Amino acid sequence: MEPLITLVGCQLTVEQLQNIFRDVFECKSFQIFEVTPILTAKGHYWLFKRAGILHRDISIGNVMYRMKGGMVHGVLNDFDHACKVDDPGPTLNRRTGTVPYMAIDILLQDSSPTFRHLYRYDLESLYYVMIAVVCPDDPFVQVWNSEETMTSLGQAKGFQIHQPAPKPAPDFDSFHNWFRGIRGVLSEGIRLQTLAKENGQAFDNTTLARKVTYETFRQVLWGDSTLHEPATNNSM
């Protein structure tokens, strides 16, 4: 098993790379400890919904690949920061992860005792990993590695999420539909979250009003044409 980044730039087709990310999303293979064999599960969502596990550190270094029968498979690795969603202790409240790939809410949270790590934060991190792998020289990615504080990075990402999605190189152009779709649901969810805060209204923060869920991400990754990117909003 090797880090995915070692394959980028090699003889890797866009279909192979997309299948690797689908494997990680579904978590068809994951390795919790080095001494544990590769296990098979029904999906990353299954880990959350049935096993009650959140990974909390999906980053470019934790997305791996393995070869089997001449096929390339994606593997989600390193569960050092994983925790149970019903953990009664402070673990779930801690801000964890690899900074460039952290979700916006995590970067902006102020260690509030009411903060809880959510499943959608893992999904958002996976989106950032996709961009970093496919568009490593994009200005979006450069910003993630240059901001001096978590707060400033969270603010920068909060601005980026309402801008047009990064455009990959021609050979990986089909990723652009993924980026547009994921950016679309994140942007719309955050827009609704902001409006609810401004108006003092109750809001489903767990899924950003059902905009950021296993189902919406799966629709994007498997090509649902009914999902469209909303118009760019520069006023937020």
Side-chain angles (χ1 to χ4, degrees):
M1 190 168 65
E2 300 291 339
L4 172 61
I5 196 64
T6 62
L7 272 183
V8 178
C10 301
Q11 300 299 317
L12 189 66
T13 68
V14 64
E15 291 80 11
Q16 287 174 319
L17 187 54
Q18 288 185 323
N19 284 334
I20 286 173
F21 281 120
R22 288 189 183 110
D23 282 351
V24 170
F25 171 74
E26 292 284 14
C27 211
K28 290 182 178 178
S29 296
F30 62 93
Q31 184 164 325
I32 298 180
F33 303 110
E34 291 184 2
V35 296
T36 304
I38 300 293
L39 303 176
T40 300
K42 293 182 179 179
H44 181 244
Y45 183 69
W46 183 91
L47 286 173
F48 163 68
K49 195 69 175 178
R50 292 294 186 89
I53 295 173
L54 290 171
H55 187 278
R56 302 200 306 164
D57 189 20
I58 295 181
S59 66
I60 201 167
N62 290 336
V63 175
M64 317 290 281
Y65 76 93
R66 62 188 177 97
M67 304 295 297
K68 183 177 180 181
M71 301 290 290
V72 182
H73 298 277
V75 181
L76 182 59
N77 188 42
D78 190 355
F79 281 68
D80 287 352
H81 293 291
C83 72
K84 298 280 287 183
V85 295
D86 57 357
D87 186 342
T91 303
L92 200 62
N93 301 77
R94 292 174 184 159
R95 182 162 56 177
T96 62
T98 302
V99 174
Y101 311 101
M102 281 183 175
I104 295 169
D105 278 1
I106 298 178
L107 292 166
L108 295 178
Q109 73 97 8
D110 56 359
S111 299
S112 167
T114 61
F115 171 79
R116 303 286 283 178
H117 198 103
L118 302 173
Y119 171 75
R120 69 173 173 87
Y121 297 159
D122 280 359
L123 295 182
E124 188 176 339
S125 292
L126 182 59
Y127 170 57
Y128 298 138
V129 171
M130 292 177 188
I131 294 176
V133 169
V134 177
C135 309
D137 298 321
D138 190 272
F140 275 35
V141 180
Q142 302 307 311
V143 167
W144 303 344
N145 293 295
S146 63
E147 291 294 333
E148 294 183 356
T149 67
M150 288 188 179
T151 299
S152 63
L153 177 56
Q155 292 169 341
K157 282 186 173 182
F159 173 79
Q160 287 179 341
I161 206 66
H162 299 295
Q163 306 308 305
K167 187 164 179 59
D171 288 348
F172 292 92
D173 190 58
S174 58
F175 268 96
H176 192 50
N177 290 331
W178 283 19
F179 295 165
R180 288 179 66 250
I182 296 173
R183 175 263 175 195
V185 295
L186 284 169
S187 176
E188 180 64 7
I190 291 171
R191 184 187 71 82
L192 294 173
Q193 180 191 54
T194 301
L195 287 175
K197 287 180 179 178
E198 291 174 349
N199 296 319
Q201 299 172 333
F203 185 74
D204 172 19
N205 188 57
T206 301
T207 65
L208 292 181
R210 299 296 301 170
K211 297 298 180 182
V212 185
T213 66
Y214 166 82
E215 291 81 9
T216 57
F217 260 62
R218 198 179 195 286
Q219 286 173 349
V220 172
L221 300 189
W222 272 263
D224 189 333
S225 61
T226 65
L227 289 175
H228 299 285
E229 182 181 32
T232 300
N233 184 348
N234 292 315
S235 63
M236 295 184 65

